[in-house]
C-alpha cells in the first residue's frame, strides 16, 4: 500500500526546467514551432529549417533577422526572459508570436544546444552599446542539458539555433516518440502553418539533406497558397472578406463539391497565429449545413485580424488555443463570412450554367415524395413501381432487377422470400471494391497489378502538401500494386497515370490527399503494433489504401441505385469473403426474418 509523506520538497532547478519542458516540448515539431516563431518575431525575411532523423538527431533553425548582442543572447537562455512584454498590460495586448520567455530555456534543458547570433548593423544603430569592426562577428553559446555553458566569438548573420540529441537526458520521453515518418509529418505541418500565416517570409525546409519545401517570400496569401497546395486546390476555393470596427476576416473555403474525408485541410489564424478553436470551426460547419454530407468535412482557411485586447492567447501551454472576450460576436462574424463565400460559389456555378450540379442526381429512382405524388399506389422505387396489390415475391424471381424501397441516406429495403433485407448500399459497395482490389493485387504479386485499370488519356499532376507528398512517395509500391500508377513528379507533386477502372471519375486531389492521411494513421498504428511483426501488420498499409480507394469509388446517398444496380450489388457482395461488413467494420446489411416481423406486429 502506498504510504503518503507529509514532507514537502523544493525541486532542484534542473528538474524544474525538465518539468517545464514537458509543457513546451512535446515532440520535435514543438521545438520547430518555438524556434520559427522566434525567427518571425525577429523581423526575418527568410527562415531555413534543417532536420535529421525526424529531429531526434538535429533541428537547426536559421534566420536573417535582427539577431542579438552577447548580453541578450545569454539572457535569452534564462527562464522567463523575453523582449516581447514588460508588464501585465502587455500580456493582454500580445502582438508577437512568442511572449512567455520559457521556450529556449526549456528546449536547452532537454537537448544539446548551440546558439549562434549577431546583431544586425541597423539594430546596433538604434541604441545598442556593443559594436564590432566586423558586423558579422557575433556570439556562439553551447550548452548541454541546460548547463555547462561555453561562450566564444563567431561569424554569424542573424540567428541560428541548433538542437542536437533531443531528450538525450530523458530517455523515457524519447521512447514515446513516434516513427520518423510521423514525426516528420508533424514538423512539416508546423512549417506549413507558419508559412501560410506569414506569406511575406521565405521558408526552406530540408529533411535528411533533401529539400522538402522551398517557398520564396510571396506578395499575397493567394500566391502562398498556390505555392503550398497547387492551382487545382486553390481554384476550388471561394473567398470572402469583411471587417468591422474590431475585426477583419479573410476566408478561403471549398465550394459545394470540394469536401474531404478528414479535417487536415482546415486552418484558422488569429493575428497570424495558427490556432484551433471550436467556436470558429462550428460557425463554418453551420454555414455548410444542408450542403455537406454528414461523413464529409469542408476545406477552409480563415484569417482573422482583431484587437489583441479582445483575445487571450495565454490559455494553453503550447499556445494552440485562444479565448475570446465576446465568443458569440466572433461566431456570428465567421458564420456570415462563410455564408457569403458559399453564396459566391452558388452564383459562380449558376453563371457557368452548372446549377444542376448543386442538386441531387437521382439515377433512375425518384424520391418517395415524388412517387407519393405521381403514383399514389406505388410503394417501391427502382426501374419499375410496385403497386400495393402486387406481391414482392413475383418480382423477386427476376435475376436482372430487384424491387427496392429507398429509405433515405444510403439505405434501401429489399424483399426476401424469408423476410426483409435492409442494406447500406455504400457500405456494400465498399466491401465489393475492397476485396476486388486486394484480390487483384495478390494475383499480380511480383508481376504487376492485375486490378482492372483505366489509363488516363492525359496523366494528371497532383500537387500535395509536403507531408502528404513525403508519405505518398514512401508508399508508391502499395499504390501501384493496387492499380493506382503514381510516380514522383518532383517539387511536391506526383503524376497519376492510371486508376482502378471504378475510380475513373474520382477527384484525384481529394483521393491522394485522403490516402496520405490514412497512411499516416496507419503508420501510427503500426508503431503501436511493432512487436507483432506479422504478415498482417506488414500488409496493413496496403489494406489501408485499398479501404480508402474502395470508399472513394463507392456509390453514395446522391447516387441512389435502381432495381438493376441493387440486384447487381446483392450478387456481387455474396461473392465476397466477408459480405456482412464494410472494410471499416460497419454492417453492410441487416436481415429481418418473417418470424421477427410477425413478432413485431404481435402475430
Amino acid at each position: 500500500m502506498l504510504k503518503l509523506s507529509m514532507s514537502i520538497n523544493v525541486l532542484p532547478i534542473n528538474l524544474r526546467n525538465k518539468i517545464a519542458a514537458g509543457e513546451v516540448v512535446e515532440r520535435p515539431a514543438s521545438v520547430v514551432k518555438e524556434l520559427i516563431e522566434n525567427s518571425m518575431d525577429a523581423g526575418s525575411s527568410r527562415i531555413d529549417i534543417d532536420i535529421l532523423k525526424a529531429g531526434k538527431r538535429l533541428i537547426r533553425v536559421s534566420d536573417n533577422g535582427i539577431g542579438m548582442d552577447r548580453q541578450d543572447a545569454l539572457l535569452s537562455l534564462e527562464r522567463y526572459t523575453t523582449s516581447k512584454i514588460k508588464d501585465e498590460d502587455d500580456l493582454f495586448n500580445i502582438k508577437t508570436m512568442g511572449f512567455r520567455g520559457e521556450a529556449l530555456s526549456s528546449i536547452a534543458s532537454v537537448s544539446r544546444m548551440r546558439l549562434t547570433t549577431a546583431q544586425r548593423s541597423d539594430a546596433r544603430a538604434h541604441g545598442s552599446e556593443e559594436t564590432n569592426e566586423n558586423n558579422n562577428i557575433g556570439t556562439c553559446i553551447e550548452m548541454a542539458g541546460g548547463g555547462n555553458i561555453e561562450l566564444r566569438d563567431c561569424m554569424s548573420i542573424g540567428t541560428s539555433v541548433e538542437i542536437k540529441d533531443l531528450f538525450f537526458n530523458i530517455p523515457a520521453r524519447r521512447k514515446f516518440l513516434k516513427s520518423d515518418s510521423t514525426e516528420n509529418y508533424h514538423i512539416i505541418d508546423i512549417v506549413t502553418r507558419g508559412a501560410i500565416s506569414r506569406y511575406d517570409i521565405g521558408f526552406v525546409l530540408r529533411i535528411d539533406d533533401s529539400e522538402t519545401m522551398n517557398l520564396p517570400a510571396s506578395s499575397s496569401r493567394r500566391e502562398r497558397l498556390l505555392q503550398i497546395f497547387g492551382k487545382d486546390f486553390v481554384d476550388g476555393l471561394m473567398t470572402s472578406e469583411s471587417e468591422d470596427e474590431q475585426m477583419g476576416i479573410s476566408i478561403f473555403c471549398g465550394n459545394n463539391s470540394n469536401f474531404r474525408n478528414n479535417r487536415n485541410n482546415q486552418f484558422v489564424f488569429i493575428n497570424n497565429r495558427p490556432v484551433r478553436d471550436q467556436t470558429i470551426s462550428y460557425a463554418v460547419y453551420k454555414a455548410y449545413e444542408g450542403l455537406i454530407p454528414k461523413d464529409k468535412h469542408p476545406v477552409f482557411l480563415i484569417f482573422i485580424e482583431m484587437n489583441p485586447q479582445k483575445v487571450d492567447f495565454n490559455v494553453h501551454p503550447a499556445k494552440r488555443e485562444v479565448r475570446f472576450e465576446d465568443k458569440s460576436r466572433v461566431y456570428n462574424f465567421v458564420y456570415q463570412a462563410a455564408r457569403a463565400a458559399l453564396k459566391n460559389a452558388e452564383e459562380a456555378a449558376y453563371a457557368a450554367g452548372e446549377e444542376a450540379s448543386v442538386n441531387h442526381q437521382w439515377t433512375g429512382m425518384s424520391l418517395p415524395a415524388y412517387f407519393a405524388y405521381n403514383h399514389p399506389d406505388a410503394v417501391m422505387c427502382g426501374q419499375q413501381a410496385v403497386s400495393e396489390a402486387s406481391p414482392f415475391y413475383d418480382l423477386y424471381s427476376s435475376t436482372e432487377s430487384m424491387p427496392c424501397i429507398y429509405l433515405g441516406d444510403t439505405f434501401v429495403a429489399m424483399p426476401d422470400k424469408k423476410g426483409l433485407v435492409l442494406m447500406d448500399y455504400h457500405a456494400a459497395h465498399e466491401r465489393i471494391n475492397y476485396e476486388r482490389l486486394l484480390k487483384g493485387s495478390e494475383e499480380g504479386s511480383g508481376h504487376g497489378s492485375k486490378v482492372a485499370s483505366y489509363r488516363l488519356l492525359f496523366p494528371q499532376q497532383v500537387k500535395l502538401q509536403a507531408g502528404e507528398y513525403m508519405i505518398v512517395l514512401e508508399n508508391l509500391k502499395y499504390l501501384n500494386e493496387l492499380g493506382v500508377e503514381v510516380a514522383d513528379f518532383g517539387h511536391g507533386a506526383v503524376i497519376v497515370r492510371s486508376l482502378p477502372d471504378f475510380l475513373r471519375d474520382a477527384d484525384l486531389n481529394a483521393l491522394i490527399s485522403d490516402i496520405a492521411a490514412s497512411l499516416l494513421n496507419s503508420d501510427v498504428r503500426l508503431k503501436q503494433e511493432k512487436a507483432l511483426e506479422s504478415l498482417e501488420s506488414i500488409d496493413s498499409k496496403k489494406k489501408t489504401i485499398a479501404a480508402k480507394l474502395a470508399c472513394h469509388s463507392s456509390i453514395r446517398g446522391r447516387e441512389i441505385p435502381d432495381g438493376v444496380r441493387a440486384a447487381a450489388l446483392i450478387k456481387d457482395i455474396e461473392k465476397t469473403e466477408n459480405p456482412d461488413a464494410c472494410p471499416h467494420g460497419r454492417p453492410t446489411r441487416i436481415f429481418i426474418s418473417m418470424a421477427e416481423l410477425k413478432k413485431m406486429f404481435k402475430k
Side-chain angles (χ1 to χ4, degrees):
M1 182 176 178
L2 179 66
K3 292 183 178 180
L4 299 178
S5 172
M6 296 303 293
S7 60
I8 297 176
N9 301 313
V10 177
L11 297 176
I13 187 66
N14 194 42
L15 183 54
R16 287 185 238 170
N17 285 340
K18 288 180 181 178
I19 293 172
E23 296 182 348
V24 178
V25 187
E26 299 174 286
R27 62 195 330 152
S30 307
V31 175
V32 174
K33 175 181 181 294
E34 297 294 341
L35 295 182
I36 66 173
E37 285 181 354
N38 284 344
S39 295
M40 291 177 187
D41 288 337
S44 309
S45 62
R46 174 181 166 123
I47 301 173
D48 287 73
I49 305 103
D50 291 276
I51 306 295
L52 292 178
K53 287 295 291 182
K56 302 165 191 174
R57 180 179 298 172
L58 171 70
I59 298 171
R60 180 171 54 236
V61 176
S62 308
D63 64 59
N64 61 352
I66 59 175
M68 295 179 283
D69 61 24
R70 176 163 297 184
Q71 181 180 355
D72 282 345
L74 287 167
L75 275 175
S76 71
L77 298 172
E78 299 289 333
R79 292 202 68 195
Y80 307 122
T81 55
T82 178
S83 62
K84 317 298 174 60
I85 62 174
K86 294 181 179 179
D87 53 39
E88 186 176 343
D89 290 339
D90 290 339
L91 188 60
F92 298 97
N93 191 28
I94 299 297
K95 297 178 181 178
T96 54
M97 299 297 287
F99 56 87
R100 293 205 193 104
E102 86 276 47
L104 283 180
S105 174
S106 297
I107 294 168
S109 70
V110 293
S111 67
R112 307 184 199 277
M113 173 187 281
R114 178 164 63 185
L115 169 66
T116 306
T117 185
Q119 193 171 34
R120 207 160 58 192
S121 56
D122 58 345
R124 293 194 185 99
H126 289 83
S128 174
E129 297 179 359
E130 183 174 328
T131 60
N132 291 299
E133 292 182 7
N134 188 329
N135 288 340
N136 291 334
I137 295 179
T139 302
C140 180
I141 302 173
E142 293 189 21
M143 58 195 307
N148 303 321
I149 294 178
E150 295 183 14
L151 182 66
R152 63 178 184 274
D153 289 339
C154 63
M155 301 295 289
S156 178
I157 297 176
T159 300
S160 176
V161 182
E162 288 187 10
I163 306 300
K164 294 182 178 179
D165 302 328
L166 185 63
F167 300 134
F168 78 95
N169 53 353
I170 312 181
R173 177 67 66 83
R174 191 178 182 93
K175 183 179 68 175
F176 280 97
L177 293 178
K178 305 299 182 184
S179 68
D180 286 0
S181 293
T182 301
E183 297 299 340
N184 281 332
Y185 185 92
H186 287 290
I187 290 170
I188 291 168
D189 182 63
I190 288 294
V191 177
T192 299
R193 291 175 189 273
I196 294 173
S197 70
R198 291 293 303 273
Y199 60 82
D200 58 319
I201 299 176
F203 288 81
V204 178
L205 171 63
R206 288 175 286 267
I207 296 179
D208 296 327
D209 298 322
S210 175
E211 190 173 87
T212 303
M213 295 174 66
N214 189 339
L215 307 173
S218 305
S219 59
S220 67
R221 284 198 180 105
R222 180 179 175 83
E223 184 181 345
R224 176 51 55 87
L225 296 183
L226 283 168
Q227 290 176 344
I228 295 173
F229 299 103
K231 187 174 185 302
D232 289 342
F233 180 92
V234 175
D235 286 346
L237 299 176
M238 304 306 298
T239 62
S240 173
E241 295 184 359
S242 62
E243 62 179 325
D244 60 18
E245 64 278 6
Q246 291 188 2
M247 286 185 289
I249 187 171
S250 178
I251 183 170
F252 297 77
C253 61
N255 56 34
N256 291 352
S257 61
N258 191 3
F259 302 132
R260 298 296 171 90
N261 289 338
N262 54 63
R263 292 182 170 88
N264 287 0
N265 291 294
Q266 297 180 355
F267 302 87
V268 178
F269 302 88
I270 308 292
N271 295 353
N272 288 330
R273 182 186 299 279
V275 299
R276 294 191 300 239
D277 185 78
Q278 290 184 344
T279 299
I280 293 174
S281 295
Y282 183 70
V284 177
Y285 275 84
K286 194 69 175 175
Y288 276 93
E289 194 170 54
L291 299 174
I292 186 169
K294 68 178 183 179
D295 59 338
K296 292 293 184 179
H297 302 280
V299 171
F300 60 80
L301 299 98
I302 297 174
F303 303 87
I304 298 177
E305 296 290 333
M306 63 188 305
N307 185 339
Q309 296 179 350
K310 301 296 182 181
V311 56
D312 186 0
F313 293 109
N314 194 28
V315 296
H316 188 278
K319 297 174 287 190
R320 284 194 293 258
E321 299 173 5
V322 295
R323 182 181 294 127
F324 299 109
E325 181 181 86
D326 190 345
K327 185 184 293 187
S328 62
R329 181 184 179 89
V330 173
Y331 170 86
N332 289 326
F333 194 67
V334 174
Y335 173 78
Q336 294 299 334
R339 287 300 302 166
L342 291 173
K343 184 178 180 181
N344 292 341
E346 293 173 1
E347 291 175 351
Y350 184 81
E354 297 173 356
E355 184 182 17
S357 67
V358 179
N359 300 320
H360 290 304
Q361 301 296 314
W362 309 112
T363 58
M365 177 182 293
S366 301
L367 286 168
Y370 174 85
F371 266 91
Y373 181 80
N374 291 283
H375 303 280
D377 296 330
V379 295
M380 182 277 294
C381 56
Q383 285 198 322
Q384 47 189 316
V386 182
S387 71
E388 291 180 353
S390 302
F392 279 134
Y393 302 124
D394 292 342
L395 292 172
Y396 188 66
S397 60
S398 171
T399 57
E400 299 298 327
S401 179
M402 178 176 290
C404 61
I405 305 171
Y406 175 60
L407 302 176
D409 196 59
T410 58
F411 303 117
V412 291
M414 293 173 288
D416 184 274
K417 293 183 179 180
K418 297 180 181 180
L420 181 68
V421 174
L422 303 177
M423 184 170 72
D424 180 340
Y425 52 81
H426 173 73
H429 202 198
E430 272 190 285
R431 167 55 61 180
I432 294 165
N433 287 334
Y434 175 73
E435 293 201 9
R436 282 177 178 169
L437 284 168
L438 290 180
K439 185 177 180 181
S441 170
E442 291 169 1
E443 290 176 351
S445 180
H447 306 283
S449 174
K450 284 198 174 182
V451 177
S453 61
Y454 166 73
R455 194 159 190 85
L456 301 180
L457 183 59
F458 300 103
Q460 184 170 334
Q461 180 183 338
V462 177
K463 175 74 174 177
L464 297 166
Q465 292 185 52
E468 296 174 341
Y469 173 68
M470 179 174 291
I471 204 162
V472 166
L473 292 189
E474 289 176 359
N475 293 278
L476 286 179
K477 172 187 174 184
Y478 300 116
L479 284 163
N480 286 305
E481 287 177 0
L482 291 166
V484 184
E485 189 180 344
V486 181
D488 183 12
F489 196 69
H491 304 289
V494 296
I495 193 83
V496 181
R497 294 193 173 93
S498 64
L499 294 165
D501 190 60
F502 49 75
L503 276 167
R504 63 172 59 202
D505 297 321
D507 179 346
L508 287 184
N509 289 282
L511 175 64
I512 303 299
S513 178
D514 283 345
I515 287 173
S518 298
L519 284 169
L520 177 66
N521 293 333
S522 172
D523 188 57
V524 172
R525 190 168 60 251
L526 281 176
K527 175 83 173 181
Q528 296 168 344
E529 299 171 353
K530 190 174 180 180
L532 296 178
E533 293 294 348
S534 64
L535 182 62
E536 179 68 21
S537 64
I538 293 171
D539 288 343
S540 65
K541 283 193 174 184
K542 184 189 291 186
K543 291 181 178 178
T544 296
I545 298 171
K548 187 57 63 178
L549 293 173
C551 182
H552 265 267
S553 63
S554 302
I555 53 179
R556 302 182 182 276
R558 64 178 58 187
E559 303 174 57
I560 303 170
D562 55 24
V564 173
R565 199 165 187 188
L569 281 173
I570 288 291
K571 289 179 183 177
D572 290 341
I573 201 167
E574 285 297 335
K575 299 174 184 177
T576 63
E577 293 182 7
N578 187 4
D580 294 320
C582 78
H584 311 292
R586 294 189 296 269
T588 60
R589 57 189 182 175
I590 296 174
F591 175 70
I592 303 176
S593 68
M594 190 61 68
E596 290 176 288
L597 287 171
K598 287 181 178 180
K599 186 177 180 180
M600 292 176 186
F601 285 97
K602 310 293 184 184
K603 287 189 176 182

